[in-house]
Amino acid sequence: MAGGGGGGGGASVNCLLVMSLLLLSSINLIAGHTYIVGGDAGWSYNINWPQPGQTFVAGGTLVFKYLPGVHNVAEVDVEGYSTCVAPAGSNVHSSGEDHVKLHPGDNYFICGIGSHCRDAGMRIVVTAE
């Protein structure tokens, strides 16, 4: 009776495989909507991010990683972006690992510390669809 006793184990393996695939799919969906600003370099001077062709989903989350006290993240409008000045009432984050939800359209961010935006290029626009 070679092989006759292992019939029930195949169903368990298939069930485990299906559950693993579902878990991986869930992780991929979550990770697909979380974007690390600046990649490995993080939110820093002369940031060159997002990359050409990179796409973003409205409702997704940007994660800004930086040294607290050295930088911050100000959510601004187009004028604040072009002038490097955060208007009164802007949301300013300073934790060093800030999570910001994207809204549809253009999302503008600057570093509001010193001249980091103007002289060191710390500003980005992220367009979410």
Side-chain angles (χ1 to χ4, degrees), residues 74-119:
E75 298 179 55
V76 297
D77 56 16
V78 66
E79 184 178 345
Y81 176 83
S82 58
T83 62
C84 286
V85 175
S90 295
N91 289 329
V92 179
H93 309 274
S94 58
S95 74
E97 188 161 333
D98 307 317
H99 295 245
V100 180
K101 186 174 272 194
L102 291 169
H103 61 77
D106 291 336
N107 296 258
Y108 299 92
F109 304 94
I110 66 171
C111 178
I113 302 226
S115 61
H116 294 186
C117 175
R118 183 180 57 256
D119 296 336

mmCIF file of all heavy atoms in Angstrom, residues 74-119:
data_model
loop_
_atom_site.group_PDB
_atom_site.id
_atom_site.type_symbol
_atom_site.label_atom_id
_atom_site.label_comp_id
_atom_site.label_asym_id
_atom_site.label_seq_id
_atom_site.Cartn_x
_atom_site.Cartn_y
_atom_site.Cartn_z
ATOM 1 N N ALA A 74 6.310 70.057 5.361
ATOM 2 C CA ALA A 74 5.144 70.942 5.340
ATOM 3 C C ALA A 74 4.306 70.609 4.115
ATOM 4 O O ALA A 74 4.825 70.552 3.001
ATOM 5 C CB ALA A 74 5.575 72.404 5.305
ATOM 6 N N GLU A 75 3.020 70.349 4.350
ATOM 7 C CA GLU A 75 2.079 70.153 3.248
ATOM 8 C C GLU A 75 1.648 71.548 2.804
ATOM 9 O O GLU A 75 1.117 72.315 3.606
ATOM 10 C CB GLU A 75 0.864 69.362 3.714
ATOM 11 C CG GLU A 75 1.187 67.966 4.198
ATOM 12 C CD GLU A 75 -0.057 67.238 4.683
ATOM 13 O OE1 GLU A 75 -1.035 67.128 3.905
ATOM 14 O OE2 GLU A 75 -0.048 66.792 5.847
ATOM 15 N N VAL A 76 1.899 71.872 1.534
ATOM 16 C CA VAL A 76 1.639 73.221 1.045
ATOM 17 C C VAL A 76 0.810 73.174 -0.233
ATOM 18 O O VAL A 76 0.591 72.114 -0.815
ATOM 19 C CB VAL A 76 2.958 73.995 0.801
ATOM 20 C CG1 VAL A 76 3.732 74.171 2.109
ATOM 21 C CG2 VAL A 76 3.832 73.310 -0.232
ATOM 22 N N ASP A 77 0.398 74.355 -0.686
ATOM 23 C CA ASP A 77 -0.275 74.481 -1.977
ATOM 24 C C ASP A 77 0.768 74.841 -3.034
ATOM 25 O O ASP A 77 1.964 74.945 -2.730
ATOM 26 C CB ASP A 77 -1.396 75.520 -1.903
ATOM 27 C CG ASP A 77 -0.920 76.896 -1.439
ATOM 28 O OD1 ASP A 77 0.305 77.165 -1.450
ATOM 29 O OD2 ASP A 77 -1.773 77.709 -1.072
ATOM 30 N N VAL A 78 0.315 75.049 -4.265
ATOM 31 C CA VAL A 78 1.256 75.325 -5.348
ATOM 32 C C VAL A 78 2.067 76.592 -5.089
ATOM 33 O O VAL A 78 3.261 76.651 -5.401
ATOM 34 C CB VAL A 78 0.539 75.371 -6.726
ATOM 35 C CG1 VAL A 78 -0.418 76.553 -6.824
ATOM 36 C CG2 VAL A 78 1.532 75.380 -7.873
ATOM 37 N N GLU A 79 1.456 77.596 -4.480
ATOM 38 C CA GLU A 79 2.187 78.829 -4.177
ATOM 39 C C GLU A 79 3.261 78.583 -3.119
ATOM 40 O O GLU A 79 4.391 79.047 -3.234
ATOM 41 C CB GLU A 79 1.236 79.935 -3.719
ATOM 42 C CG GLU A 79 1.956 81.256 -3.482
ATOM 43 C CD GLU A 79 1.015 82.371 -3.078
ATOM 44 O OE1 GLU A 79 -0.210 82.237 -3.237
ATOM 45 O OE2 GLU A 79 1.530 83.397 -2.590
ATOM 46 N N GLY A 80 2.902 77.839 -2.072
ATOM 47 C CA GLY A 80 3.884 77.495 -1.047
ATOM 48 C C GLY A 80 5.035 76.692 -1.622
ATOM 49 O O GLY A 80 6.192 76.869 -1.234
ATOM 50 N N TYR A 81 4.730 75.831 -2.579
ATOM 51 C CA TYR A 81 5.758 75.031 -3.241
ATOM 52 C C TYR A 81 6.697 75.930 -4.053
ATOM 53 O O TYR A 81 7.910 75.809 -3.957
ATOM 54 C CB TYR A 81 5.100 73.995 -4.158
ATOM 55 C CG TYR A 81 6.072 73.186 -4.966
ATOM 56 C CD1 TYR A 81 6.700 72.078 -4.425
ATOM 57 C CD2 TYR A 81 6.375 73.534 -6.278
ATOM 58 C CE1 TYR A 81 7.608 71.331 -5.164
ATOM 59 C CE2 TYR A 81 7.270 72.792 -7.027
ATOM 60 C CZ TYR A 81 7.881 71.692 -6.469
ATOM 61 O OH TYR A 81 8.771 70.963 -7.205
ATOM 62 N N SER A 82 6.129 76.842 -4.833
ATOM 63 C CA SER A 82 6.973 77.674 -5.700
ATOM 64 C C SER A 82 7.745 78.742 -4.933
ATOM 65 O O SER A 82 8.845 79.111 -5.325
ATOM 66 C CB SER A 82 6.153 78.293 -6.835
ATOM 67 O OG SER A 82 5.104 79.060 -6.332
ATOM 68 N N THR A 83 7.210 79.204 -3.793
ATOM 69 C CA THR A 83 7.907 80.236 -3.016
ATOM 70 C C THR A 83 8.723 79.660 -1.858
ATOM 71 O O THR A 83 9.469 80.394 -1.210
ATOM 72 C CB THR A 83 6.905 81.251 -2.431
ATOM 73 O OG1 THR A 83 6.021 80.564 -1.534
ATOM 74 C CG2 THR A 83 6.127 81.963 -3.530
ATOM 75 N N CYS A 84 8.554 78.364 -1.610
ATOM 76 C CA CYS A 84 9.217 77.706 -0.476
ATOM 77 C C CYS A 84 8.816 78.307 0.864
ATOM 78 O O CYS A 84 9.619 78.402 1.796
ATOM 79 C CB CYS A 84 10.744 77.709 -0.650
ATOM 80 S SG CYS A 84 11.324 76.536 -1.887
ATOM 81 N N VAL A 85 7.551 78.707 0.955
ATOM 82 C CA VAL A 85 7.019 79.261 2.204
ATOM 83 C C VAL A 85 5.728 78.516 2.534
ATOM 84 O O VAL A 85 4.805 78.472 1.717
ATOM 85 C CB VAL A 85 6.728 80.770 2.069
ATOM 86 C CG1 VAL A 85 6.055 81.301 3.328
ATOM 87 C CG2 VAL A 85 8.000 81.532 1.766
ATOM 88 N N ALA A 86 5.676 77.940 3.731
ATOM 89 C CA ALA A 86 4.462 77.253 4.164
ATOM 90 C C ALA A 86 3.445 78.292 4.613
ATOM 91 O O ALA A 86 3.714 79.045 5.552
ATOM 92 C CB ALA A 86 4.781 76.288 5.294
ATOM 93 N N PRO A 87 2.292 78.359 3.952
ATOM 94 C CA PRO A 87 1.271 79.326 4.359
ATOM 95 C C PRO A 87 0.760 79.042 5.775
ATOM 96 O O PRO A 87 0.846 77.909 6.260
ATOM 97 C CB PRO A 87 0.145 79.112 3.342
ATOM 98 C CG PRO A 87 0.710 78.301 2.238
ATOM 99 C CD PRO A 87 1.877 77.557 2.807
ATOM 100 N N ALA A 88 0.237 80.059 6.415
ATOM 101 C CA ALA A 88 -0.362 79.883 7.744
ATOM 102 C C ALA A 88 -1.411 78.779 7.665
ATOM 103 O O ALA A 88 -2.162 78.692 6.701
ATOM 104 C CB ALA A 88 -1.001 81.189 8.204
ATOM 105 N N GLY A 89 -1.416 77.927 8.667
ATOM 106 C CA GLY A 89 -2.389 76.847 8.715
ATOM 107 C C GLY A 89 -1.944 75.570 8.004
ATOM 108 O O GLY A 89 -2.678 74.588 7.994
ATOM 109 N N SER A 90 -0.750 75.570 7.414
ATOM 110 C CA SER A 90 -0.252 74.357 6.747
ATOM 111 C C SER A 90 -0.002 73.261 7.772
ATOM 112 O O SER A 90 0.393 73.540 8.904
ATOM 113 C CB SER A 90 1.069 74.643 6.030
ATOM 114 O OG SER A 90 0.894 75.553 4.980
ATOM 115 N N ASN A 91 -0.221 72.023 7.361
ATOM 116 C CA ASN A 91 0.147 70.890 8.213
ATOM 117 C C ASN A 91 1.655 70.729 8.147
ATOM 118 O O ASN A 91 2.217 70.553 7.069
ATOM 119 C CB ASN A 91 -0.517 69.595 7.732
ATOM 120 C CG ASN A 91 -2.000 69.572 7.992
ATOM 121 O OD1 ASN A 91 -2.474 70.158 8.955
ATOM 122 N ND2 ASN A 91 -2.733 68.892 7.143
ATOM 123 N N VAL A 92 2.304 70.816 9.287
ATOM 124 C CA VAL A 92 3.760 70.654 9.361
ATOM 125 C C VAL A 92 4.046 69.463 10.268
ATOM 126 O O VAL A 92 3.582 69.405 11.398
ATOM 127 C CB VAL A 92 4.447 71.929 9.893
ATOM 128 C CG1 VAL A 92 5.954 71.728 9.983
ATOM 129 C CG2 VAL A 92 4.115 73.127 9.003
ATOM 130 N N HIS A 93 4.815 68.519 9.747
ATOM 131 C CA HIS A 93 5.150 67.288 10.462
ATOM 132 C C HIS A 93 6.615 67.334 10.865
ATOM 133 O O HIS A 93 7.448 67.852 10.130
ATOM 134 C CB HIS A 93 4.892 66.071 9.561
ATOM 135 C CG HIS A 93 3.526 66.077 8.944
ATOM 136 N ND1 HIS A 93 2.422 65.575 9.586
ATOM 137 C CD2 HIS A 93 3.094 66.529 7.738
ATOM 138 C CE1 HIS A 93 1.365 65.713 8.801
ATOM 139 N NE2 HIS A 93 1.749 66.289 7.674
ATOM 140 N N SER A 94 6.936 66.747 12.007
ATOM 141 C CA SER A 94 8.318 66.825 12.484
ATOM 142 C C SER A 94 8.781 65.593 13.254
ATOM 143 O O SER A 94 9.760 65.652 13.983
ATOM 144 C CB SER A 94 8.487 68.071 13.360
ATOM 145 O OG SER A 94 7.584 68.017 14.449
ATOM 146 N N SER A 95 8.116 64.459 13.074
ATOM 147 C CA SER A 95 8.443 63.266 13.864
ATOM 148 C C SER A 95 9.686 62.528 13.377
ATOM 149 O O SER A 95 10.287 61.765 14.119
ATOM 150 C CB SER A 95 7.267 62.288 13.852
ATOM 151 O OG SER A 95 7.169 61.632 12.598
ATOM 152 N N GLY A 96 10.050 62.730 12.111
ATOM 153 C CA GLY A 96 11.156 61.974 11.533
ATOM 154 C C GLY A 96 10.693 60.728 10.808
ATOM 155 O O GLY A 96 11.449 60.102 10.080
ATOM 156 N N GLU A 97 9.437 60.370 11.000
ATOM 157 C CA GLU A 97 8.814 59.283 10.237
ATOM 158 C C GLU A 97 7.333 59.618 10.091
ATOM 159 O O GLU A 97 6.474 59.063 10.766
ATOM 160 C CB GLU A 97 9.006 57.920 10.894
ATOM 161 C CG GLU A 97 8.521 56.811 9.982
ATOM 162 C CD GLU A 97 9.063 55.445 10.332
ATOM 163 O OE1 GLU A 97 10.156 55.342 10.903
ATOM 164 O OE2 GLU A 97 8.372 54.476 10.017
ATOM 165 N N ASP A 98 7.077 60.561 9.207
ATOM 166 C CA ASP A 98 5.733 61.095 9.031
ATOM 167 C C ASP A 98 4.976 60.335 7.953
ATOM 168 O O ASP A 98 5.518 60.047 6.888
ATOM 169 C CB ASP A 98 5.810 62.573 8.643
ATOM 170 C CG ASP A 98 6.653 63.366 9.619
ATOM 171 O OD1 ASP A 98 6.515 63.142 10.828
ATOM 172 O OD2 ASP A 98 7.467 64.190 9.170
ATOM 173 N N HIS A 99 3.717 60.026 8.241
ATOM 174 C CA HIS A 99 2.842 59.327 7.306
ATOM 175 C C HIS A 99 1.782 60.316 6.837
ATOM 176 O O HIS A 99 1.028 60.840 7.657
ATOM 177 C CB HIS A 99 2.186 58.127 7.986
ATOM 178 C CG HIS A 99 3.183 57.084 8.393
ATOM 179 N ND1 HIS A 99 3.193 55.830 7.833
ATOM 180 C CD2 HIS A 99 4.210 57.112 9.271
ATOM 181 C CE1 HIS A 99 4.190 55.123 8.359
ATOM 182 N NE2 HIS A 99 4.813 55.887 9.242
ATOM 183 N N VAL A 100 1.739 60.549 5.523
ATOM 184 C CA VAL A 100 0.812 61.535 4.963
ATOM 185 C C VAL A 100 -0.013 60.868 3.874
ATOM 186 O O VAL A 100 0.543 60.270 2.949
ATOM 187 C CB VAL A 100 1.575 62.747 4.382
ATOM 188 C CG1 VAL A 100 0.611 63.762 3.801
ATOM 189 C CG2 VAL A 100 2.463 63.390 5.446
ATOM 190 N N LYS A 101 -1.333 60.969 3.997
ATOM 191 C CA LYS A 101 -2.242 60.380 3.014
ATOM 192 C C LYS A 101 -2.330 61.277 1.778
ATOM 193 O O LYS A 101 -2.457 62.501 1.893
ATOM 194 C CB LYS A 101 -3.627 60.184 3.620
ATOM 195 C CG LYS A 101 -4.581 59.441 2.699
ATOM 196 C CD LYS A 101 -5.884 59.127 3.374
ATOM 197 C CE LYS A 101 -5.711 57.809 4.076
ATOM 198 N NZ LYS A 101 -6.976 57.224 4.504
ATOM 199 N N LEU A 102 -2.271 60.657 0.598
ATOM 200 C CA LEU A 102 -2.364 61.385 -0.668
ATOM 201 C C LEU A 102 -3.820 61.643 -1.044
ATOM 202 O O LEU A 102 -4.663 60.759 -0.928
ATOM 203 C CB LEU A 102 -1.705 60.577 -1.787
ATOM 204 C CG LEU A 102 -0.197 60.439 -1.717
ATOM 205 C CD1 LEU A 102 0.291 59.395 -2.723
ATOM 206 C CD2 LEU A 102 0.475 61.775 -1.966
ATOM 207 N N HIS A 103 -4.094 62.855 -1.506
ATOM 208 C CA HIS A 103 -5.417 63.157 -2.046
ATOM 209 C C HIS A 103 -5.305 63.156 -3.579
ATOM 210 O O HIS A 103 -4.202 63.247 -4.122
ATOM 211 C CB HIS A 103 -5.949 64.494 -1.504
ATOM 212 C CG HIS A 103 -5.104 65.675 -1.851
ATOM 213 N ND1 HIS A 103 -5.102 66.256 -3.097
ATOM 214 C CD2 HIS A 103 -4.207 66.377 -1.119
ATOM 215 C CE1 HIS A 103 -4.247 67.265 -3.111
ATOM 216 N NE2 HIS A 103 -3.686 67.360 -1.932
ATOM 217 N N PRO A 104 -6.422 63.037 -4.286
ATOM 218 C CA PRO A 104 -6.359 63.021 -5.751
ATOM 219 C C PRO A 104 -5.767 64.322 -6.295
ATOM 220 O O PRO A 104 -6.014 65.404 -5.755
ATOM 221 C CB PRO A 104 -7.820 62.889 -6.178
ATOM 222 C CG PRO A 104 -8.539 62.372 -4.986
ATOM 223 C CD PRO A 104 -7.778 62.871 -3.785
ATOM 224 N N GLY A 105 -4.956 64.222 -7.317
ATOM 225 C CA GLY A 105 -4.333 65.394 -7.935
ATOM 226 C C GLY A 105 -2.944 65.632 -7.398
ATOM 227 O O GLY A 105 -2.268 64.721 -6.909
ATOM 228 N N ASP A 106 -2.513 66.887 -7.473
ATOM 229 C CA ASP A 106 -1.155 67.249 -7.053
ATOM 230 C C ASP A 106 -1.085 67.457 -5.539
ATOM 231 O O ASP A 106 -1.927 68.136 -4.955
ATOM 232 C CB ASP A 106 -0.697 68.524 -7.758
ATOM 233 C CG ASP A 106 -0.473 68.317 -9.246
ATOM 234 O OD1 ASP A 106 -0.227 67.162 -9.657
ATOM 235 O OD2 ASP A 106 -0.541 69.297 -10.002
ATOM 236 N N ASN A 107 -0.061 66.883 -4.935
ATOM 237 C CA ASN A 107 0.221 67.015 -3.503
ATOM 238 C C ASN A 107 1.604 67.646 -3.399
ATOM 239 O O ASN A 107 2.572 67.111 -3.951
ATOM 240 C CB ASN A 107 0.241 65.634 -2.843
ATOM 241 C CG ASN A 107 -1.103 64.931 -2.886
ATOM 242 O OD1 ASN A 107 -1.827 64.898 -1.908
ATOM 243 N ND2 ASN A 107 -1.446 64.350 -4.027
ATOM 244 N N TYR A 108 1.715 68.782 -2.700
ATOM 245 C CA TYR A 108 2.959 69.544 -2.628
ATOM 246 C C TYR A 108 3.548 69.477 -1.223
ATOM 247 O O TYR A 108 2.825 69.642 -0.234
ATOM 248 C CB TYR A 108 2.695 71.017 -2.968
ATOM 249 C CG TYR A 108 2.144 71.241 -4.352
ATOM 250 C CD1 TYR A 108 0.772 71.294 -4.583
ATOM 251 C CD2 TYR A 108 3.002 71.416 -5.436
ATOM 252 C CE1 TYR A 108 0.260 71.513 -5.854
ATOM 253 C CE2 TYR A 108 2.499 71.633 -6.707
ATOM 254 C CZ TYR A 108 1.136 71.668 -6.908
ATOM 255 O OH TYR A 108 0.643 71.885 -8.179
ATOM 256 N N PHE A 109 4.875 69.270 -1.158
ATOM 257 C CA PHE A 109 5.562 69.168 0.121
ATOM 258 C C PHE A 109 6.886 69.922 0.060
ATOM 259 O O PHE A 109 7.583 69.881 -0.962
ATOM 260 C CB PHE A 109 5.847 67.701 0.471
ATOM 261 C CG PHE A 109 4.618 66.849 0.473
ATOM 262 C CD1 PHE A 109 4.249 66.147 -0.657
ATOM 263 C CD2 PHE A 109 3.823 66.768 1.602
ATOM 264 C CE1 PHE A 109 3.108 65.365 -0.673
ATOM 265 C CE2 PHE A 109 2.671 65.990 1.604
ATOM 266 C CZ PHE A 109 2.309 65.283 0.452
ATOM 267 N N ILE A 110 7.220 70.585 1.161
ATOM 268 C CA ILE A 110 8.510 71.268 1.272
ATOM 269 C C ILE A 110 9.090 71.002 2.659
ATOM 270 O O ILE A 110 8.366 70.623 3.579
ATOM 271 C CB ILE A 110 8.398 72.799 1.057
ATOM 272 C CG1 ILE A 110 7.578 73.457 2.178
ATOM 273 C CG2 ILE A 110 7.822 73.128 -0.314
ATOM 274 C CD1 ILE A 110 7.607 74.986 2.167
ATOM 275 N N CYS A 111 10.397 71.217 2.787
ATOM 276 C CA CYS A 111 11.002 71.282 4.109
ATOM 277 C C CYS A 111 10.946 72.752 4.511
ATOM 278 O O CYS A 111 11.401 73.630 3.772
ATOM 279 C CB CYS A 111 12.455 70.791 4.093
ATOM 280 S SG CYS A 111 13.240 70.914 5.729
ATOM 281 N N GLY A 112 10.368 73.020 5.678
ATOM 282 C CA GLY A 112 10.204 74.393 6.129
ATOM 283 C C GLY A 112 11.329 74.886 7.029
ATOM 284 O O GLY A 112 11.237 75.963 7.612
ATOM 285 N N ILE A 113 12.417 74.123 7.140
ATOM 286 C CA ILE A 113 13.529 74.526 8.009
ATOM 287 C C ILE A 113 14.543 75.318 7.193
ATOM 288 O O ILE A 113 14.991 74.873 6.136
ATOM 289 C CB ILE A 113 14.192 73.296 8.652
ATOM 290 C CG1 ILE A 113 13.139 72.541 9.430
ATOM 291 C CG2 ILE A 113 15.437 73.681 9.423
ATOM 292 C CD1 ILE A 113 13.442 72.084 10.799
ATOM 293 N N GLY A 114 14.881 76.493 7.715
ATOM 294 C CA GLY A 114 15.896 77.330 7.064
ATOM 295 C C GLY A 114 15.633 77.505 5.579
ATOM 296 O O GLY A 114 14.511 77.748 5.159
ATOM 297 N N SER A 115 16.681 77.362 4.792
ATOM 298 C CA SER A 115 16.551 77.503 3.337
ATOM 299 C C SER A 115 16.639 76.142 2.646
ATOM 300 O O SER A 115 17.022 76.058 1.484
ATOM 301 C CB SER A 115 17.635 78.451 2.809
ATOM 302 O OG SER A 115 18.914 77.921 3.092
ATOM 303 N N HIS A 116 16.273 75.077 3.365
ATOM 304 C CA HIS A 116 16.371 73.733 2.797
ATOM 305 C C HIS A 116 15.571 73.589 1.511
ATOM 306 O O HIS A 116 16.018 72.932 0.575
ATOM 307 C CB HIS A 116 15.908 72.685 3.804
ATOM 308 C CG HIS A 116 16.786 72.577 4.999
ATOM 309 N ND1 HIS A 116 16.604 71.598 5.958
ATOM 310 C CD2 HIS A 116 17.849 73.317 5.413
ATOM 311 C CE1 HIS A 116 17.515 71.747 6.903
ATOM 312 N NE2 HIS A 116 18.274 72.789 6.596
ATOM 313 N N CYS A 117 14.397 74.184 1.447
ATOM 314 C CA CYS A 117 13.583 74.110 0.235
ATOM 315 C C CYS A 117 14.234 74.918 -0.890
ATOM 316 O O CYS A 117 14.517 74.386 -1.961
ATOM 317 C CB CYS A 117 12.172 74.634 0.516
ATOM 318 S SG CYS A 117 11.111 74.722 -0.948
ATOM 319 N N ARG A 118 14.489 76.161 -0.637
ATOM 320 C CA ARG A 118 14.983 77.083 -1.671
ATOM 321 C C ARG A 118 16.398 76.741 -2.125
ATOM 322 O O ARG A 118 16.683 76.663 -3.319
ATOM 323 C CB ARG A 118 14.914 78.527 -1.156
ATOM 324 C CG ARG A 118 15.335 79.583 -2.174
ATOM 325 C CD ARG A 118 15.247 81.009 -1.624
ATOM 326 N NE ARG A 118 16.051 81.199 -0.418
ATOM 327 C CZ ARG A 118 15.552 81.270 0.829
ATOM 328 N NH1 ARG A 118 14.256 81.181 1.038
ATOM 329 N NH2 ARG A 118 16.351 81.445 1.861
ATOM 330 N N ASP A 119 17.315 76.537 -1.201
ATOM 331 C CA ASP A 119 18.726 76.367 -1.563
ATOM 332 C C ASP A 119 19.173 74.913 -1.677
ATOM 333 O O ASP A 119 20.206 74.640 -2.294
ATOM 334 C CB ASP A 119 19.621 77.078 -0.542
ATOM 335 C CG ASP A 119 19.405 78.583 -0.544
ATOM 336 O OD1 ASP A 119 18.941 79.122 -1.573
ATOM 337 O OD2 ASP A 119 19.690 79.219 0.494
#
